[in-house]
Amino acid sequence: MLAPTLLTVALLDPEIFTALLRTGEGSGALLVVATALTGGVALSSRRWTTARVTALVVWGLGMMAVTFIGTMAGPASTARGVWVCLLGGSLMLVLSVASTLPHQQGSLQDGALTWVGAAAGFAWAGSLRGFMAEIVGDGSNASWLGTFGWVLLPGTLAGALLGWAERERRRGRPHRVLVWSPLLFGAVLLPGLTDLGALLEDGIGGGAIAVPIMLVVGAFALAACQVWVRLVCTIVFVAALSVWSITATAVGGAEFAVNTPYGAWATILYFGLLVTGALATSLPLRSAPHRVRPSAATAAAPPAEEVAP
């Protein structure tokens, strides 16, 4: 239940802790932890108690603060500003939902899985857009159509479909075809179909194809029924991951070398996005949970309290 407090580990550094006391620098970590902990209480409870209302108020204020911190990256009237604001808010929402799991009533209701999937899909796509911005560097430009239309919207829809697939799987109605949901990212290719040469010239079109295909391949590596399919897909997925380690400096420059702190962080971010994306994409392939049906003898037996001594 207190796992989010690990995010305050940086305050163990004497310099950072001193800066927190003198200037307030580093208080963002405390804000995130407080929001996650109160979100776990507010979202897991089923009854309206004083504790839940208090937690809900604190959580709401924390969500607003974390969201609007994004205006430091750009005004709220610009695509970049809105993207960063919503990225912060969606990441905080996903962490808050995860913080409900240790609570006694923290099991997620099936009906909420679609909405949680949409939020997680938005956070995933927003993080992917952030990785893309780091690769481009100072020349990165966020636009309403490019960022929201071709990255964030497909990510949100794919997340919602995967969340809905998990809901249906838990109800014994798996929809394996939804494993192809990440291909919605390929929508960015539609405007360029009339000029295939320009489409692949800068690699953007290739990335729009490669990333979702890697997610699908990773999903089959994790949950395909046939062993040989899982083996082949595992080899392909691991090989695709290793390509980044070889080409990182060629793509992003010398600072992306994996033996530097910045390059190691970028590599972990990229690998983390692909692995978590593959895990989510594998949900439609997983078997429906086994429901134990009572036997005829058990069904016919009276409740324990009605049996005579």
Side-chain angles (χ1 to χ4, degrees):
M1 202 176 294
L2 298 177
T5 58
L6 291 173
L7 296 174
T8 63
V9 67
L11 299 179
L12 297 178
D13 186 299
E15 294 184 4
I16 296 178
F17 184 72
T18 302
L20 173 65
L21 297 179
R22 291 180 177 177
T23 64
E25 184 179 355
S27 58
L30 299 176
L31 173 63
V32 169
V33 170
T35 304
L37 293 177
T38 54
V41 174
L43 299 178
S44 65
S45 178
R46 299 289 183 268
R47 296 182 300 171
W48 288 101
T49 62
T50 303
R52 186 190 184 190
V53 172
T54 302
L56 189 61
V57 170
V58 176
W59 177 70
L61 293 175
M63 284 291 298
M64 292 176 58
V66 172
T67 300
F68 285 103
I69 283 177
T71 55
M72 297 175 63
S77 59
T78 64
R80 179 178 294 276
V82 175
W83 154 48
V84 178
C85 285
L86 294 178
L87 173 59
S90 61
L91 288 170
M92 192 69 252
L93 178 59
V94 171
L95 178 59
S96 299
V97 172
S99 298
T100 67
L101 299 179
H103 291 264
Q104 185 176 2
Q105 297 178 335
S107 58
L108 204 60
Q109 297 297 311
D110 289 354
L113 289 173
T114 302
W115 299 105
V116 173
F122 185 96
W124 188 93
S127 300
L128 176 66
R129 180 64 182 85
F131 177 78
M132 295 162 57
E134 292 296 323
I135 294 295
V136 176
D138 295 336
S140 174
N141 179 36
S143 64
W144 292 106
L145 180 60
T147 297
F148 285 85
W150 304 133
V151 179
L152 301 182
L153 179 59
T156 304
L157 293 176
L161 287 174
L162 293 173
W164 182 76
E166 174 62 9
R167 186 191 74 171
E168 293 296 289
R169 185 190 70 84
R170 293 185 181 186
R171 296 179 176 180
R173 301 190 295 262
H175 298 280
R176 297 174 63 88
V177 69
L178 292 179
V179 70
W180 302 100
S181 297
L183 293 184
L184 287 171
F185 283 103
V188 69
L189 305 180
L190 296 179
L193 290 179
T194 57
D195 188 359
L196 295 179
L199 178 66
L200 301 176
E201 182 178 0
D202 56 3
I204 295 178
I209 299 174
V211 170
I213 287 181
M214 285 184 64
L215 298 185
V216 175
V217 170
F220 278 98
L222 290 167
C225 296
Q226 297 84 357
V227 175
W228 70 268
V229 173
R230 297 178 68 174
L231 180 60
V232 171
C233 289
T234 298
I235 294 173
V236 174
F237 186 73
V238 172
L241 287 178
S242 64
V243 169
W244 169 257
S245 303
I246 301 173
T247 62
T249 54
V251 174
E255 61 181 358
F256 279 87
V258 295
N259 60 346
T260 65
Y262 185 84
W265 163 74
T267 300
I268 291 172
L269 173 60
Y270 180 60
F271 286 4
L273 286 170
L274 292 180
V275 171
T276 55
L279 284 169
T281 306
S282 70
L283 292 176
L285 296 178
R286 299 186 181 276
S287 302
H290 178 67
R291 299 181 184 274
V292 179
R293 294 184 178 181
S295 61
T298 304
E305 62 271 15
E306 295 182 6
V307 177

